[in-house]
Amino acid sequence: MISGEGKLIRGQGPVRTGVTAVLPRGRDLDPAFAGWYSLNGNGEMTGTIWIEESGFLQGPVMITNTNSVGVVRDAVIEWAIEILKTDQNLSSIDDYYWYLPVVAETYDGYLNDINGFHVKPNHVFSALDTAKSGAVLEGCVGGGTSMICHEFKGGIGTSSRQLSEQQGGYTVGVLVQANYGERERLTIAGIQVGKEITDFLPDYHTDKPEQGSSSIIVVVATDAPLLPHQLKRIARRVPMGIARVGGFGANSSGDIFIAFSTANSGVANKSLNTDLQMLSNDRISPLFSATIEATEEAIINALFSAETMTGIYRNTVYALPQERVLDILKRHNII
Amino acid sequence: MISGEGKLIRGQGPVRTGVTAVLPRGRDLDPAFAGWYSLNGNGEMTGTIWIEESGFLQGPVMITNTNSVGVVRDAVIEWAIEILKTDQNLSSIDDYYWYLPVVAETYDGYLNDINGFHVKPNHVFSALDTAKSGAVLEGCVGGGTSMICHEFKGGIGTSSRQLSEQQGGYTVGVLVQANYGERERLTIAGIQVGKEITDFLPDYHTDKPEQGSSSIIVVVATDAPLLPHQLKRIARRVPMGIARVGGFGANSSGDIFIAFSTANSGVANKSLNTDLQMLSNDRISPLFSATIEATEEAIINALFSAETMTGIYRNTVYALPQERVLDILKRHNII
Amino acid sequence: MISGEGKLIRGQGPVRTGVTAVLPRGRDLDPAFAGWYSLNGNGEMTGTIWIEESGFLQGPVMITNTNSVGVVRDAVIEWAIEILKTDQNLSSIDDYYWYLPVVAETYDGYLNDINGFHVKPNHVFSALDTAKSGAVLEGCVGGGTSMICHEFKGGIGTSSRQLSEQQGGYTVGVLVQANYGERERLTIAGIQVGKEITDFLPDYHTDKPEQGSSSIIVVVATDAPLLPHQLKRIARRVPMGIARVGGFGANSSGDIFIAFSTANSGVANKSLNTDLQMLSNDRISPLFSATIEATEEAIINALFSAETMTGIYRNTVYALPQERVLDILKRHNII
Amino acid sequence: MISGEGKLIRGQGPVRTGVTAVLPRGRDLDPAFAGWYSLNGNGEMTGTIWIEESGFLQGPVMITNTNSVGVVRDAVIEWAIEILKTDQNLSSIDDYYWYLPVVAETYDGYLNDINGFHVKPNHVFSALDTAKSGAVLEGCVGGGTSMICHEFKGGIGTSSRQLSEQQGGYTVGVLVQANYGERERLTIAGIQVGKEITDFLPDYHTDKPEQGSSSIIVVVATDAPLLPHQLKRIARRVPMGIARVGGFGANSSGDIFIAFSTANSGVANKSLNTDLQMLSNDRISPLFSATIEATEEAIINALFSAETMTGIYRNTVYALPQERVLDILKRHNII
């Protein structure tokens, strides 16, 4: 799996947005088995109808702002056609080809001029073409640039868990674009720290956003050989990780999750049958708890990585005061 | 796949019911991959929640009358425990074991004393223990004993299609318990024969049943190596076969379908991973059309196999007058 | 309900595409209750996750080609913001607002230069702003411009059914963008006319499209007061209408359906509770059969309205030879 | 809403099981709007297919042990027929009637002789006929008699939340049959108390149950006027409450939830349309968080109410040592 980010921040201007790309197999469009789930569907993730039908995630998962889902989607098609022509020597368009990209979003209009439609195809190409393996950037980057989480500055966060050898040694990696939540519900390591940090609230120079508005997109990647229906099971554990940080899937929230496996390549080959491996259902529970733990931690990491930002309308959202959090946890004998 | 029938018909009495058993792997409780779909859920099929979760169908699919689902379900558990003790030498109950049988139903109270609760565990054991491979009994047998279909006598019907060698040579077999439909919608080979056979209507000595009431249960079996999500796709084609005979999933109908594959045995073994085969999504379409065609034909076969029956309240439901049907088809140059 | 079409046909060039708009409440963005279903999800309909969650369809349903879903989606947001500013006097963007448009597609690359991305926002605005009530254009118009159906020229088709006064007098209207199907399966009025018209096959100057490829989008509108879960029931009957014309939901097909009700306005008001009406479940069956019949007829109407077209690669797809069809139906004593 | 319990505990014998009944409208079989969700479907809840289709929960929700679902289901039909005859003067069976009871289960074979099939129809009638409104019994009662939760003695637990007047003043009540979880994950008020109470583990004289095995059934009742699709939203929040106590939906767990509303009576009347009220989607979020909080608290209440029990194989499961828990919470400055 590789990932890339395109970030747009321009001058005083209110442009504070971007695009995040997660590519299960890099530039290889060979599908990965996938499943998805929506805790609260006040959001968009294109391409999910085909994932549900086929079990296939083809190409990248893209995350951007709400009003740029369309431009990102069509640009991914352009990018894929170019790849097919160059990498795969598909010289002629005569091989009729269609493709249904996966693009998700969260709303960033509290800090970004979202109605200015600033994301353009070249930002998409850039995010895709500069994607690389290794550490994923966290905080105010890519689609997560203008996120707000529990009324602190949010963004992109990641975390992973590796199972023991006896459990197969598989890895579960989680990437979140965290843009949800109320201050008073923020819970870290079981302690309701949000109730104890009532300052550092955002400065809004317009109407305050609705309580609990906005969203969280979660991408779960694993190398365990899970079938599509098993990956849906994984996606359905994500809410339990969010619950541990204080989210509850508010009505105004678009909480949509996708899980994919990098195992079992070549599943879309044109031969009659394909040989696969399936992880036993009886051995899947450790992946469930790994997903929950990594989701919880990825949200916390987004909060710890993000920096104070001033954006449109001179709204300012503050970074989580980390020392304060640590003090609270100490007071409760957690650390 | 083997199947068995228990049939209860007693004297003048109103007992006209039974149990049908379809065993994907005979007495072997090794799960088969499965998927299910409900066109109109005014009915019951127990065990579907686990099928959806795990992709596993363990043990038989049972079909009986609406009020006997419970007794059949619990009896299947008794039967399975006995099998585990005898066939698998599971001598001790210390191996904590639970099992979630699949039992479906249609309502037979127009001919059977359904509120007399006449199905007993021994009928279940008998249907299971006498099941054998080979030709499946059709017409007024097993759970289909008192069925009514398009206001003619219905029952159990079966049909199958074999794909060409190029398509993999796989077989799709369909079993229906057909108990739905209005006379005027009955369509055979595209011709609305029901509109032309307005006699032979049931003699009801009580209130006439609601239009379009009752149900159809459909079991689709295949040896193609389909994964659970692919089997759900198969189950979702069943309504298209029913549509061709004139069904439409009326509100009062319990139209519930299950599809399973006998390929990929051993998927519940306790090792970490299992090797599987998957039929390519790109090669699945012939199985879709085979399912639709076999469903259509199985319903017609149920109608052609059933015989006139008199039951509770001296209600009489007549067999389809086959010559009349053939005459109509000839008049339309279909045969 | 009003509808509009934007059509792009330019010179010898290969531009043969467009946009179709169906507006449940015209320029009023007040949500309509809605439900959706996918028979075979090899396609896209954005906005469905929120429909599933909330039961709300807000604004139009748009249909275009596969590669233009994105541009149409984002343009609908622009259009909606403009409406809110002008019609509703929402002068300030301070009322943070997001919107998740519903945009569906079928692939038109056999006649249109789909990879040229020719649909632009102004085509979307035009389709929306010129929409009007009354007769809907059929055939090679809007998103349906380059459709191919059962290997004849397809396009947009519509049909409706009105229930009797006793059934409530409600209307069910269906609009299809029909782009699916194999010649040999084409069935009209129960007769397999496709098997008898083996000429008039498309002239392709490139590789022939895969059998059964492409898709059908179906929009069902009713004034019956159905709740969201009841509208999903309506959407799930659409495959039964398609089955009667010879479709079967091939693997390569994006067969996605949405049903909405124009009754129960004001359901998104900000007060605590809203008064509604619900049609009784016990009275819904006539709406099911009306949906199936109108779907079947709308596809036939698309075929009868479309005209022969030559497009990209000088591919030519022929209109259905209507006289031939009528002759066949006469020979089978259907008309 | 009223509830009842039938409990079977006999001598030294291993009979330790029962039946719990929750009746949304008492003996009135008028349906309540309902929705359901399965976090992990290794369990049974009959009747869910019709709930999904119609939005109707008719009659009680029953909870018992895994092997008694069938007997309870059929007995509920007997009970309902009797009610229709007596309460509603439905003197004749000529009014063809069918009914699809809702019966859920958890496995109690670690303390109860589950394979003895000890639950009989009279226990069902008793639970139903003695049901009354007011405080619900908690702990080792009814279907919860032999439950084990986080390796302490579990059972039935309840909790409720009332919304503020501004939020509508509605109540959310939750009943759990809690039979899931590993000791080390037990979390109370955010603190991982299970990690600190490593004694009081069950004494098993047979093989130890699989980690995380068994299940939790949750019933959510509210008087808020929610539609079926909104009640499904409620049911989908239940996992977030379980997560806060340390559950994660293990593979071997049957975690199935149903939510119903006692508002909107008379929705199954035979007239064409019914007047309803719907709570605004924009006002539903407080019900989501109330559901999560009440679920968490109901599980804790089950643990605090249950008493040490010795059952089959002389297995003993210990009650939660409450003082120890309080000490731990004090040490973490939670209380």
Side-chain angles (χ1 to χ4, degrees):
Chain A
M1 191 194 95
I2 69 175
S3 66
E5 310 281 344
K7 183 173 175 178
L8 291 77
I9 297 201
R10 287 207 290 264
Q12 295 301 317
V15 182
R16 306 237 176 309
T17 193
V19 180
T20 292
V22 179
L23 298 96
R25 304 191 192 283
R27 287 173 69 86
D28 190 342
L29 296 177
D30 177 37
F33 277 148
W36 74 282
Y37 178 65
S38 167
L39 166 63
N40 195 72
N42 202 334
E44 181 66 81
M45 183 183 280
T46 67
T48 48
I49 302 177
W50 180 231
I51 291 172
E52 177 75 19
E53 183 76 41
S54 64
F56 288 170
L57 166 67
Q58 193 182 8
V61 176
M62 309 295 293
I63 322 178
T64 186
N65 75 57
T66 309
N67 288 9
S68 299
V69 166
V71 62
V72 174
R73 179 197 179 275
D74 293 355
V76 172
I77 295 177
E78 279 196 74
W79 174 82
I81 290 172
E82 190 61 28
I83 280 193
L84 291 172
K85 284 186 184 165
T86 55
D87 295 19
Q88 298 188 20
N89 227 343
L90 180 76
S91 56
S92 159
I93 201 64
D94 297 359
D95 297 83
Y96 298 115
Y97 172 77
W98 67 90
Y99 170 43
L100 302 160
V102 174
V103 186
E105 53 70 48
T106 61
Y107 182 81
D108 64 9
Y110 307 115
L111 288 171
N112 174 47
D113 174 30
I114 190 169
N115 293 327
F117 296 89
H118 297 287
V119 175
K120 303 297 179 194
N122 61 308
H123 304 121
V124 178
F125 303 146
S126 168
L128 287 164
D129 290 334
T130 63
K132 56 185 187 302
S133 57
V136 179
L137 289 178
E138 295 184 300
C140 307
V141 294
T145 299
S146 276
M147 300 299 95
I148 304 167
C149 185
H150 289 285
E151 305 181 49
F152 288 118
K153 188 69 190 67
I156 300 292
T158 66
S159 176
S160 66
R161 288 289 180 279
Q162 188 172 8
L163 302 193
S164 71
E165 277 311 303
Q166 191 205 354
Q167 293 169 332
Y170 299 116
T171 298
V172 175
V174 169
L175 179 147
V176 303
Q177 180 161 313
N179 193 42
Y180 77 94
E182 301 166 16
R183 173 64 57 86
E184 65 172 11
R185 295 177 189 276
L186 176 61
T187 304
I188 296 182
I191 302 302
Q192 297 184 35
V193 300
K195 288 208 164 118
E196 304 193 32
I197 312 179
T198 54
D199 48 350
F200 287 100
L201 285 169
D203 291 333
Y204 290 119
H205 298 95
T206 54
D207 289 349
K208 202 183 157 206
E210 196 181 337
Q211 281 281 61
S213 71
S214 294
S215 306
I216 179 166
I217 300 295
V218 181
V219 182
V220 185
T222 185
D223 56 355
L226 300 180
L227 298 191
H229 74 288
Q230 294 177 312
L231 287 155
K232 191 191 289 189
R233 301 177 77 184
I234 296 289
R236 286 159 68 162
R237 264 64 188 181
V238 169
M240 304 182 89
I242 296 172
R244 286 154 59 142
V245 194
F248 70 100
N251 176 65
S252 54
S253 210
D255 303 345
I256 310 177
F257 321 125
I258 184 169
F260 63 81
S261 165
T262 56
N264 287 319
S265 59
V267 291
N269 75 70
K270 295 286 180 185
S271 64
L272 187 67
N273 294 330
T274 305
D275 291 325
L276 299 179
Q277 277 209 316
M278 175 183 79
L279 186 85
S280 287
N281 276 327
D282 281 345
R283 305 292 289 271
I284 203 172
S285 290
L287 290 165
F288 291 165
S289 53
T291 300
I292 296 169
E293 287 176 23
T295 298
E296 178 184 13
E297 192 173 276
I299 299 170
I300 306 295
N301 285 347
L303 284 165
F304 272 76
S305 306
E307 295 171 348
T308 297
M309 179 181 285
T310 299
I312 195 169
Y313 316 127
R314 289 176 300 116
N315 289 343
T316 298
V317 180
Y318 296 96
L320 179 76
Q322 304 185 14
E323 286 305 317
R324 292 271 293 280
V325 171
L326 300 179
D327 286 348
I328 295 167
L329 297 186
K330 278 176 199 155
R331 201 160 62 244
H332 286 289
N333 297 311
I334 300 297
I335 54 176
Chain B
M1 190 193 97
I2 67 174
S3 66
E5 311 280 344
K7 186 173 175 178
L8 291 76
I9 297 201
R10 286 207 290 264
Q12 295 300 319
V15 182
R16 308 237 176 306
T17 193
V19 180
T20 292
V22 178
L23 298 96
R25 304 192 191 281
R27 288 172 70 87
D28 190 342
L29 296 178
D30 176 38
F33 276 148
W36 74 283
Y37 179 65
S38 166
L39 166 63
N40 195 72
N42 203 332
E44 181 65 81
M45 183 183 281
T46 67
T48 48
I49 302 177
W50 180 231
I51 291 173
E52 177 75 18
E53 184 76 40
S54 64
F56 289 170
L57 166 66
Q58 192 182 8
V61 176
M62 309 295 293
I63 322 177
T64 186
N65 76 57
T66 308
N67 287 10
S68 299
V69 165
V71 63
V72 173
R73 178 196 180 277
D74 293 355
V76 172
I77 295 176
E78 280 196 73
W79 175 83
I81 291 171
E82 189 61 29
I83 280 193
L84 292 172
K85 285 185 184 165
T86 56
D87 295 19
Q88 298 188 20
N89 227 346
L90 180 76
S91 55
S92 159
I93 200 63
D94 297 358
D95 296 83
Y96 298 116
Y97 172 78
W98 68 89
Y99 170 43
L100 302 160
V102 174
V103 186
E105 54 69 50
T106 60
Y107 182 80
D108 64 8
Y110 306 116
L111 288 171
N112 174 46
D113 174 30
I114 189 168
N115 292 327
F117 296 88
H118 298 286
V119 176
K120 303 297 177 193
N122 61 309
H123 303 122
V124 178
F125 304 147
S126 168
L128 287 164
D129 290 334
T130 63
K132 57 184 186 303
S133 57
V136 179
L137 288 179
E138 296 185 299
C140 306
V141 295
T145 299
S146 276
M147 300 298 97
I148 304 168
C149 185
H150 289 285
E151 304 181 53
F152 288 117
K153 189 69 191 66
I156 300 291
T158 66
S159 175
S160 66
R161 289 288 181 280
Q162 188 172 7
L163 302 193
S164 70
E165 277 310 303
Q166 192 205 353
Q167 292 169 333
Y170 299 116
T171 298
V172 174
V174 169
L175 180 148
V176 303
Q177 180 162 314
N179 193 42
Y180 77 95
E182 301 166 15
R183 173 65 57 85
E184 64 172 13
R185 295 178 188 274
L186 175 61
T187 304
I188 296 180
I191 302 301
Q192 296 184 35
V193 300
K195 289 210 164 116
E196 305 193 30
I197 312 180
T198 54
D199 49 350
F200 288 100
L201 286 168
D203 290 334
Y204 290 119
H205 296 96
T206 54
D207 289 350
K208 203 184 154 203
E210 197 182 336
Q211 280 280 62
S213 71
S214 296
S215 307
I216 179 167
I217 300 296
V218 182
V219 182
V220 186
T222 185
D223 56 354
L226 301 180
L227 300 191
H229 74 288
Q230 294 176 311
L231 287 155
K232 191 191 289 189
R233 301 177 78 186
I234 296 288
R236 285 159 69 162
R237 265 62 189 181
V238 168
M240 305 184 88
I242 296 171
R244 286 155 60 142
V245 194
F248 70 100
N251 177 66
S252 54
S253 209
D255 303 343
I256 310 178
F257 321 126
I258 184 169
F260 64 80
S261 165
T262 55
N264 287 319
S265 59
V267 291
N269 75 70
K270 295 285 180 186
S271 64
L272 188 66
N273 294 330
T274 306
D275 291 323
L276 298 179
Q277 277 210 316
M278 175 184 77
L279 186 85
S280 287
N281 276 326
D282 282 344
R283 305 293 289 271
I284 203 174
S285 289
L287 289 165
F288 291 166
S289 51
T291 300
I292 296 169
E293 288 176 24
T295 298
E296 178 184 13
E297 192 173 276
I299 299 170
I300 306 294
N301 285 347
L303 284 166
F304 272 76
S305 306
E307 294 170 350
T308 298
M309 179 180 284
T310 298
I312 194 169
Y313 316 128
R314 289 176 301 113
N315 289 344
T316 299
V317 180
Y318 296 96
L320 179 75
Q322 304 186 12
E323 285 305 316
R324 291 272 293 278
V325 171
L326 300 180
D327 286 347
I328 294 166
L329 296 186
K330 278 177 199 156
R331 200 162 62 244
H332 286 289
N333 298 312
I334 300 297
I335 53 174
Chain C
M1 191 195 96
I2 68 175
S3 66
E5 310 281 344
K7 183 174 176 178
L8 289 77
I9 298 202
R10 285 206 293 264
Q12 296 300 320
V15 183
R16 308 248 178 296
T17 193
V19 180
T20 291
V22 178
L23 298 95
R25 304 192 192 282
R27 289 172 69 86
D28 190 343
L29 296 178
D30 176 37
F33 277 147
W36 74 283
Y37 179 64
S38 166
L39 166 63
N40 196 71
N42 202 333
E44 181 65 81
M45 183 183 280
T46 67
T48 47
I49 302 177
W50 181 231
I51 291 172
E52 178 74 18
E53 183 76 41
S54 65
F56 288 171
L57 166 66
Q58 193 182 8
V61 176
M62 309 295 293
I63 321 178
T64 186
N65 75 57
T66 308
N67 287 9
S68 299
V69 165
V71 62
V72 173
R73 178 195 180 276
D74 293 354
V76 171
I77 295 177
E78 278 197 75
W79 174 83
I81 291 171
E82 189 62 30
I83 280 192
L84 292 172
K85 284 185 183 166
T86 56
D87 296 18
Q88 297 188 21
N89 227 344
L90 179 76
S91 56
S92 159
I93 201 61
D94 296 358
D95 297 82
Y96 298 115
Y97 172 77
W98 67 88
Y99 171 42
L100 302 160
V102 174
V103 186
E105 54 68 50
T106 61
Y107 182 80
D108 63 9
Y110 306 115
L111 288 171
N112 174 47
D113 174 29
I114 190 169
N115 292 328
F117 296 88
H118 298 286
V119 175
K120 303 296 177 192
N122 61 308
H123 303 122
V124 178
F125 304 147
S126 168
L128 287 164
D129 290 334
T130 62
K132 57 186 186 300
S133 58
V136 178
L137 289 178
E138 295 184 301
C140 306
V141 295
T145 299
S146 276
M147 301 298 97
I148 304 168
C149 186
H150 289 286
E151 304 181 51
F152 288 117
K153 188 70 192 66
I156 300 291
T158 66
S159 176
S160 66
R161 289 289 181 279
Q162 188 171 8
L163 302 194
S164 71
E165 275 312 303
Q166 192 205 352
Q167 292 169 332
Y170 298 117
T171 298
V172 174
V174 169
L175 180 146
V176 303
Q177 180 162 313
N179 193 42
Y180 77 96
E182 300 165 16
R183 173 64 59 84
E184 64 172 13
R185 294 178 190 275
L186 176 61
T187 305
I188 296 181
I191 302 301
Q192 297 184 35
V193 300
K195 288 208 165 119
E196 305 194 29
I197 312 180
T198 54
D199 49 350
F200 288 101
L201 285 169
D203 290 334
Y204 290 119
H205 297 94
T206 54
D207 289 350
K208 205 183 155 204
E210 195 181 339
Q211 281 282 61
S213 72
S214 294
S215 307
I216 179 166
I217 299 296
V218 181
V219 182
V220 185
T222 185
D223 55 354
L226 300 181
L227 299 191
H229 74 289
Q230 294 177 311
L231 287 155
K232 191 191 289 189
R233 302 177 77 185
I234 296 288
R236 285 160 68 162
R237 265 62 190 183
V238 168
M240 305 183 88
I242 295 171
R244 287 154 60 141
V245 194
F248 70 100
N251 176 65
S252 53
S253 208
D255 303 343
I256 310 177
F257 322 125
I258 184 169
F260 63 80
S261 165
T262 56
N264 288 319
S265 59
V267 291
N269 75 68
K270 295 284 180 185
S271 64
L272 187 66
N273 294 330
T274 306
D275 291 324
L276 299 179
Q277 277 210 317
M278 175 184 77
L279 186 86
S280 287
N281 276 327
D282 282 344
R283 304 294 288 270
I284 203 174
S285 289
L287 290 164
F288 291 165
S289 51
T291 300
I292 296 169
E293 288 176 22
T295 298
E296 178 184 15
E297 192 173 278
I299 298 169
I300 306 294
N301 285 346
L303 284 166
F304 273 76
S305 304
E307 295 170 349
T308 298
M309 178 180 283
T310 299
I312 194 168
Y313 315 127
R314 287 175 303 113
N315 289 343
T316 298
V317 180
Y318 295 96
L320 180 76
Q322 305 186 11
E323 286 306 317
R324 292 271 292 279
V325 170
L326 300 179
D327 285 348
I328 294 167
L329 297 186
K330 278 177 198 155
R331 200 159 63 242
H332 286 289
N333 298 311
I334 300 298
I335 54 174
Chain D
M1 191 195 95
I2 68 175
S3 66
E5 310 281 343
K7 184 174 176 177
L8 290 76
I9 297 200
R10 286 207 292 263
Q12 295 300 320
V15 182
R16 305 239 177 308
T17 192
V19 180
T20 291
V22 179
L23 299 95
R25 304 191 191 283
R27 288 173 68 86
D28 190 343
L29 297 178
D30 177 38
F33 277 147
W36 75 282
Y37 179 64
S38 167
L39 166 63
N40 195 71
N42 203 334
E44 181 65 80
M45 184 183 280
T46 67
T48 48
I49 302 177
W50 180 231
I51 290 172
E52 177 75 18
E53 182 76 42
S54 65
F56 288 170
L57 166 66
Q58 194 181 7
V61 176
M62 309 296 292
I63 321 179
T64 186
N65 75 56
T66 308
N67 288 8
S68 299
V69 166
V71 63
V72 173
R73 178 197 179 274
D74 293 354
V76 172
I77 295 177
E78 279 196 74
W79 174 82
I81 291 170
E82 190 61 28
I83 280 194
L84 292 172
K85 284 185 184 166
T86 55
D87 295 19
Q88 297 188 22
N89 227 344
L90 179 76
S91 57
S92 159
I93 201 62
D94 297 359
D95 298 83
Y96 298 115
Y97 172 78
W98 68 89
Y99 170 42
L100 302 160
V102 174
V103 186
E105 54 70 48
T106 60
Y107 182 81
D108 64 8
Y110 306 115
L111 288 171
N112 174 47
D113 174 29
I114 190 168
N115 293 327
F117 297 89
H118 298 285
V119 175
K120 303 296 178 193
N122 61 307
H123 303 122
V124 178
F125 304 146
S126 168
L128 287 164
D129 290 334
T130 63
K132 57 186 186 301
S133 57
V136 178
L137 289 178
E138 296 184 300
C140 307
V141 295
T145 299
S146 276
M147 300 299 96
I148 304 167
C149 185
H150 289 285
E151 304 181 51
F152 287 118
K153 188 69 192 67
I156 301 290
T158 66
S159 176
S160 66
R161 288 289 181 278
Q162 187 171 8
L163 303 193
S164 71
E165 276 313 303
Q166 192 205 352
Q167 292 170 332
Y170 299 115
T171 298
V172 174
V174 169
L175 179 147
V176 303
Q177 179 163 314
N179 193 42
Y180 77 95
E182 300 166 16
R183 173 64 58 85
E184 65 172 12
R185 295 177 189 275
L186 176 61
T187 304
I188 296 182
I191 302 302
Q192 296 184 36
V193 300
K195 289 209 165 115
E196 306 193 30
I197 312 180
T198 54
D199 49 349
F200 288 101
L201 285 169
D203 290 334
Y204 290 118
H205 297 95
T206 54
D207 290 350
K208 203 182 156 205
E210 197 182 338
Q211 280 282 61
S213 72
S214 294
S215 307
I216 179 166
I217 300 296
V218 181
V219 181
V220 185
T222 184
D223 56 354
L226 300 181
L227 299 191
H229 74 287
Q230 294 177 311
L231 287 155
K232 191 191 290 189
R233 301 177 77 185
I234 296 289
R236 287 160 67 162
R237 265 64 189 180
V238 168
M240 305 183 88
I242 295 171
R244 287 155 61 143
V245 194
F248 70 100
N251 177 65
S252 53
S253 209
D255 303 344
I256 310 178
F257 321 126
I258 183 168
F260 63 81
S261 164
T262 56
N264 288 318
S265 59
V267 292
N269 75 71
K270 294 286 179 183
S271 63
L272 188 65
N273 294 329
T274 305
D275 291 325
L276 299 179
Q277 277 210 316
M278 175 184 79
L279 186 85
S280 287
N281 276 327
D282 282 345
R283 306 293 289 272
I284 202 172
S285 290
L287 289 165
F288 291 165
S289 51
T291 300
I292 295 169
E293 288 176 23
T295 298
E296 178 184 12
E297 192 173 279
I299 298 169
I300 306 295
N301 285 346
L303 284 166
F304 273 76
S305 306
E307 295 169 350
T308 298
M309 178 180 284
T310 299
I312 193 168
Y313 316 125
R314 287 175 304 112
N315 289 343
T316 299
V317 180
Y318 296 96
L320 179 77
Q322 305 187 11
E323 286 306 316
R324 291 272 293 279
V325 171
L326 300 179
D327 286 347
I328 294 167
L329 297 186
K330 277 176 199 156
R331 199 161 63 245
H332 286 288
N333 297 310
I334 300 297
I335 53 175

